[in-house]
Amino acid sequence: MLQTAPPHAKRHHSGLIGDQPAPPAQDIARLKKTKRDQAIHPGWLVAPASLWLIVFLVVPLIGIVVFSFWTPIRGGMTPDFTLINFGNFFRQEGFFDPEHRNFLKLSIFLTTLWTTFRFTITVMAVCLIIGYPIAFFLAMQVKNFKWQLALFLVAMVPFWTSYLIRAVAWLPMLGRRGLFNKMLMNLGIIDKPSSFFLYSEFGYTMALAQLYVVLCIGPIFFSLAKIDKNILEAARDMGASNFQVFREIILPLSLPGVAIGMIFLFVMLMGEFATAVVVYGGKTSTTGTVILNYYATANYPFAAVNAIMLMLAMMIGVFFILRVVDIRKEL
Amino acid sequence: MTMPRKSTLHEMKTGLSRRRFVLTTAGAAAAGTMTGVPAIVYGAESIRTIGLGVSIINEIQSKASKDTGDKIRGQALGYGAMIGKMLNQNDQYEVAEGYFNDMDLMIPAKVWQPIDTKRIKNWDKVSNLTKTGRLSAGSSLGQGDAPFRHLWLNKDGSRASGPTQYISMLPGWHNADSIGYNPDETGRKIESWAELFSPDFKGKVALVNAPQIGTMDAAMAVEAMGLMKFGNKGDMTRAEIDKLVNFLIEKKKEGHFRAFWETFGQSVNLMVSGEVAIQSMWSPAVTAVKAEGVPCIYAAPKEGMRGWHGGCAISARVTGKQLDAAYEYLNWWLDGWAGAFVARQGYYMSVWSNVKDHLSQEEWDFWYLGKPAAKELSDPFGTPIVKKGEIRDGGSYEARFKNIAVWNSLMKENDYLVKRWTEFLSA
């Protein structure tokens, strides 16, 4: 006969790999008692982090929001409330004027934000296409844990060196006199060096994907490694094809990792401006460069408006990623 | 603005994104080359000075500390950070090593105090380039933020129309920039800014990616081509900016530009790797390209060059003994040692008679007079950079500076300029 167990005894909590049985009730009770009696109040544990975040994140953020409403003057700003900075962000000269070159064209700052977003999405897609199979291979095909770890570290090797070295390394690869052009010429595919690879959208996308792909390999690898192999076996025993196993079990269970990886990528790529300079030869504007250009000539309110818009875009992006995958539920 | 030292790939790596940031790195790199611990004599006063890597170099401030007996600490910043600190934290520095093209920000903000020329020992020796705008009789007055337009102040810090006892900033190091090119690639001598947009070099042209400077180089070019005539290239109207940027967008869509460089190192790399044949460039970068064994010539366009001028200002907060020490440091800059130091990097000083005393005859002849180098010459850190027989591109100091077409400027329409530049890059 089944006994009614205390509710928590039935619950399982998930460990890093597979589910673990919940500890017996008396242990929990004992632990809870100890905690109440001796342990430091949890509030104290989060205090340093909270304080740090408040001083170095929340306060500056409030500052940015406040400054965006101040009036810019030559050489700074005055605390006079104005909406002109936001107006300037959206306003475009000659928007409705059919004679004007800007007829029905959106403000350049919106367009720039959109360009930044477009590159971000493209690179995220490339990263996913490259990153998922790598993570899949590591987690599913490599059986030995030691090898898994070793190969995962190999995938990380480029990240042992600085970001800028990795970006600059593309120049001798893709340039007019670069390795890639030499190879194609030796193979007789092209007869004179192509300038298509470097300082182009192609080179830029490739470089960004290489620079950031590990950010999504990690989380996807961990969520794949967590999948209980017995479930896969059970599915196969019941006659599921490899594709069915992937579609019905592996893919849904790896989505939290994908979502986390995509959030990492999204946030990093939206704020990106250095790679555009090095690999794209500055031939595009990102919202990051706009902020820098206005900051450099002391128009802080307008730089602040651009920063706020970038933040809003990031928040909306993250919100949508989380709408697709409910990470909390999945974990 | 120009970079102090020849660049290497190292600078590309460490100098991250922007011209403004790389200048900081230059200071750090310079610090790295310092040999031994300087014997700083700890004087009564401590002076904090901020600026770009052009003038904030460990050797310079260490020597100043030794000579004045004060403790002078320099902080090299990126351009944006420098402007930000100068404007918003004038209690965090005593001396600001700024640039005359930023005076429209600095003078109204009253963050600096007027400098009393009576307290400047060598004031009479300071050249007329900054006082009247003409280095010698017959020199042209450049357009834009020429130093003489921002130099003179009243005692209360407001602008004065003519010479007074007070100045906004003590004139110091300066230079003139133009275009650099690889003669093997161009196949001809470049003598005009118009060549920047010659269809012959399509796809092999680069511009500096700073809206304030890049547009000016482009303006020099379209004016030389006869396409446009500007009222004042240093202070363009919206209509002029529109016409110029529309032209640039058209050229960009044609694929005329290979890249837009932001750091000194990038401009060197573009030339060395054969990606560009002709580009706007700073003169020490040309030296750096040549050091890599790639032919590179600094053009002296017949339309004139684009000048820039730096100097030392004093924070409005400084008083008493500290003010005396600050003046001492300013005076030290004009004594000649510092002028000789920056001369070996290709920069000029406002009091050149004192610089002459600190340079060898061969150095003086090469750097200031534009004569062939009588022997191998080194940069201030001892690295040989000039081969025997070499001639400085752009000729003598006088030849360069009597024909400045335009000075680096901050236009009234700067916000609009940045906006249209953003559009140009996105096009």
Side-chain angles (χ1 to χ4, degrees):
Chain A
M1 198 187 128
L2 277 172
Q3 260 190 321
T4 341
H8 56 257
K10 256 188 191 164
R11 252 192 281 132
H12 281 45
H13 69 204
S14 38
L16 183 64
I17 297 175
D19 280 6
Q20 310 289 325
Q26 60 267 37
D27 284 0
I28 289 181
R30 187 167 49 83
L31 282 168
K32 274 189 176 161
K33 193 163 172 282
T34 340
K35 221 184 249 171
R36 247 196 309 277
D37 293 350
Q38 302 162 2
I40 317 163
H41 190 273
W44 288 109
L45 293 175
V46 294
S50 310
L51 194 71
W52 195 89
L53 283 174
I54 288 169
V55 174
F56 295 108
L57 185 72
V58 178
V59 172
L61 275 182
I62 293 171
I64 288 174
V65 174
V66 170
F67 293 152
S68 70
F69 292 107
W70 284 17
T71 307
I73 49 164
R74 267 273 148 126
M77 50 191 175
T78 50
D80 294 327
F81 178 85
T82 177
L83 288 172
I84 189 124
N85 305 308
F86 285 90
N88 285 340
F89 184 89
F90 292 104
R91 198 172 60 88
Q92 178 72 303
E93 295 85 6
F95 179 65
F96 271 124
D97 179 357
E99 304 286 300
H100 202 279
R101 64 186 159 77
N102 288 334
F103 177 59
L104 293 186
K105 267 206 281 185
L106 286 175
S107 140
I108 184 62
F109 303 111
L110 268 178
T111 322
T112 302
L113 193 56
W114 167 248
T115 315
T116 312
F117 180 76
R118 195 166 50 84
F119 274 119
T120 299
I121 296 297
T122 316
V123 175
M124 278 166 69
V126 175
C127 282
L128 190 61
I129 291 167
I130 300 172
Y132 199 96
I134 295 176
F136 187 86
F137 173 79
L138 285 175
M140 295 291 170
Q141 305 300 116
V142 185
K143 304 289 179 201
N144 183 321
F145 175 71
K146 266 186 198 156
W147 275 108
Q148 264 184 358
L149 194 70
L151 289 174
F152 183 68
L153 286 177
V154 168
M156 297 284 273
V157 162
F159 292 78
W160 294 356
T161 151
S162 100
Y163 162 84
L164 215 78
I165 292 174
R166 279 179 285 134
V168 169
W170 283 96
L171 305 183
M173 288 283 290
L174 300 177
R176 272 201 181 113
R177 294 177 192 167
L179 283 176
F180 208 53
N181 259 318
K182 274 195 186 133
M183 191 184 78
L184 291 177
M185 276 163 77
N186 284 343
L187 291 174
I189 297 170
I190 51 174
D191 51 0
K192 65 177 187 149
S194 165
S195 48
F196 168 75
F197 307 114
L198 190 61
Y199 306 130
S200 63
E201 201 165 320
F202 167 81
Y204 183 49
T205 313
M206 287 304 113
L208 281 179
Q210 187 268 334
L211 288 167
Y212 289 106
V213 70
V214 158
L215 287 181
C216 76
I217 294 181
I220 299 174
F221 167 69
F222 287 123
S223 67
L224 283 171
K226 233 183 69 179
I227 297 172
D228 189 343
K229 301 289 185 297
N230 293 327
I231 305 176
L232 306 182
E233 214 134 296
R236 282 201 195 91
D237 286 350
M238 294 170 91
S241 69
N242 276 347
F243 178 70
Q244 275 175 315
V245 171
F246 176 75
R247 201 190 54 190
E248 303 289 336
I249 302 170
I250 299 177
L251 187 64
L253 287 177
S254 66
L255 277 184
V258 173
I260 292 171
M262 290 302 114
I263 290 172
F264 282 166
L265 286 176
F266 184 76
V267 172
M268 296 294 285
L269 288 164
M270 285 296 282
E272 168 69 47
F273 62 88
T275 313
V277 173
V278 177
V279 187
Y280 204 173
K283 277 150 96 177
T284 186
S285 290
T286 66
T287 302
T289 51
V290 172
I291 295 171
L292 220 60
N293 273 331
Y294 280 97
Y295 167 75
T297 43
N299 190 340
Y300 306 121
F302 197 66
V305 168
N306 276 279
I308 289 171
M309 293 302 166
L310 184 60
M311 249 176 337
L312 279 179
M314 285 183 183
M315 277 152 77
I316 293 169
V318 171
F319 174 79
F320 272 106
I321 295 173
L322 291 179
R323 276 299 290 263
V324 177
V325 183
D326 187 345
I327 289 183
R328 233 186 273 188
K329 208 180 91 195
E330 299 287 344
L331 286 178
Chain B
M1 243 44 63
T2 319
M3 280 284 305
R5 301 186 56 204
K6 70 171 191 177
S7 150
T8 56
L9 188 63
H10 167 77
E11 238 164 39
M12 277 285 295
K13 291 168 198 158
T14 51
L16 214 137
S17 52
R18 300 197 55 100
R19 163 185 56 118
R20 295 114 202 229
F21 294 158
V22 91
L23 289 164
T24 320
T25 330
T33 59
M34 202 175 75
T35 47
V37 180
I40 296 172
V41 182
Y42 291 93
E45 294 307 320
S46 168
I47 296 289
R48 294 163 299 175
T49 179
I50 62 169
L52 300 177
V54 178
S55 66
I56 306 284
I57 299 171
N58 232 324
E59 278 81 349
I60 294 181
Q61 279 74 34
S62 299
K63 177 78 166 123
S65 301
K66 215 189 278 178
D67 291 351
T68 61
D70 294 314
K71 189 185 172 194
I72 295 159
R73 281 178 303 149
Q75 187 190 15
L77 296 163
Y79 204 92
M82 175 190 80
I83 299 283
K85 189 163 180 178
M86 283 178 178
L87 278 172
N88 304 315
Q89 292 171 287
N90 72 346
D91 55 337
Q92 297 294 309
Y93 62 85
E94 281 73 41
V95 175
E97 309 195 4
Y99 294 84
F100 280 98
N101 46 297
D102 294 320
M103 283 302 173
D104 275 341
L105 301 177
M106 301 300 169
I107 294 177
K110 301 234 168 163
V111 286
W112 298 339
Q113 55 180 287
I115 291 168
D116 186 350
T117 53
K118 290 234 162 82
R119 297 185 67 173
I120 303 296
K121 205 168 65 225
N122 282 307
W123 180 243
D124 291 340
K125 289 189 188 170
V126 170
S127 84
N128 275 333
L129 180 67
T130 46
K131 288 176 180 168
T132 65
R134 293 183 210 276
L135 184 62
S136 53
S139 303
S140 61
L141 290 176
Q143 293 178 337
D145 288 341
F148 81 97
R149 296 195 176 99
H150 294 296
L151 184 69
W152 304 108
L153 295 183
N154 296 312
K155 197 179 179 181
D156 64 0
S158 60
R159 283 174 185 275
S161 51
T164 59
Q165 188 187 331
Y166 297 93
I167 55 172
S168 55
M169 183 161 81
L170 182 64
W173 52 97
H174 52 284
N175 208 349
D177 299 335
S178 72
I179 34 185
Y181 64 101
N182 180 339
D184 293 351
E185 298 265 0
T186 59
R188 61 171 183 258
K189 196 176 175 196
I190 301 299
E191 290 173 309
S192 168
W193 285 91
E195 299 275 32
L196 264 182
F197 295 123
S198 162
D200 298 350
F201 312 132
K202 186 180 157 185
K204 294 199 151 193
V205 177
L207 277 183
V208 53
N209 189 2
Q212 294 81 14
I213 311 175
T215 43
M216 240 183 286
D217 287 354
M220 292 293 296
V222 295
E223 208 171 57
M225 292 163 84
L227 289 178
M228 273 181 84
K229 184 89 191 115
F230 292 88
N232 181 356
K233 286 184 289 296
D235 200 11
M236 302 178 197
T237 62
R238 277 193 182 212
E240 285 171 339
I241 292 171
D242 276 340
K243 202 173 168 195
L244 179 64
V245 175
N246 291 346
F247 170 80
L248 287 174
I249 288 174
E250 203 180 294
K251 278 282 165 194
K252 185 169 184 250
K253 286 186 171 158
E254 280 173 22
H256 189 76
F257 302 107
R258 183 63 177 140
F260 303 98
W261 57 265
E262 305 214 2
T263 66
F264 177 86
Q266 264 187 306
S267 74
V268 174
N269 247 301
L270 284 170
M271 205 54 115
V272 170
S273 62
E275 298 292 339
V276 308
I278 178 169
Q279 62 177 348
S280 44
M281 223 167 164
W282 298 330
S283 86
V286 175
T287 317
V289 171
K290 284 197 280 196
E292 300 287 330
V294 174
C296 189
I297 297 177
Y298 205 42
K302 56 179 186 283
E303 297 87 12
M305 294 174 128
R306 175 173 47 71
W308 57 266
H309 209 303
C312 295
I314 304 174
S315 161
R317 307 258 188 149
V318 182
T319 53
K321 277 193 176 154
Q322 225 176 6
L323 185 59
D324 297 342
Y327 268 106
E328 225 175 314
Y329 177 57
L330 263 59
N331 274 307
W332 177 86
W333 256 102
L334 300 186
D335 278 345
W337 188 91
F341 189 95
V342 297
R344 296 185 185 105
Q345 299 180 310
Y347 305 120
Y348 303 103
M349 267 307 278
S350 52
V351 181
W352 44 265
S353 48
N354 290 353
V355 174
K356 196 177 175 184
D357 300 338
H358 286 80
L359 288 175
S360 70
Q361 188 62 43
E362 293 88 354
E363 285 177 319
W364 174 258
D365 286 349
F366 177 82
W367 293 112
Y368 269 80
L369 300 186
K371 291 182 185 168
K375 60 171 193 182
E376 188 182 73
L377 300 176
S378 297
D379 72 5
F381 310 97
T383 315
I385 51 164
V386 178
K387 286 195 219 70
K388 192 181 166 183
E390 212 174 304
I391 298 181
R392 183 171 190 176
D393 300 314
S396 69
Y397 176 52
E398 210 190 332
R400 277 183 188 224
F401 276 87
K402 74 178 185 197
N403 190 18
I404 294 294
V406 63
W407 291 83
N408 277 5
S409 301
L410 188 66
M411 304 181 195
K412 281 187 210 71
E413 291 289 357
N414 181 63
D415 286 345
Y416 187 69
L417 181 75
V418 176
K419 181 175 180 178
R420 294 289 339 253
W421 185 261
T422 306
E423 197 181 326
F424 162 54
L425 293 184
S426 303

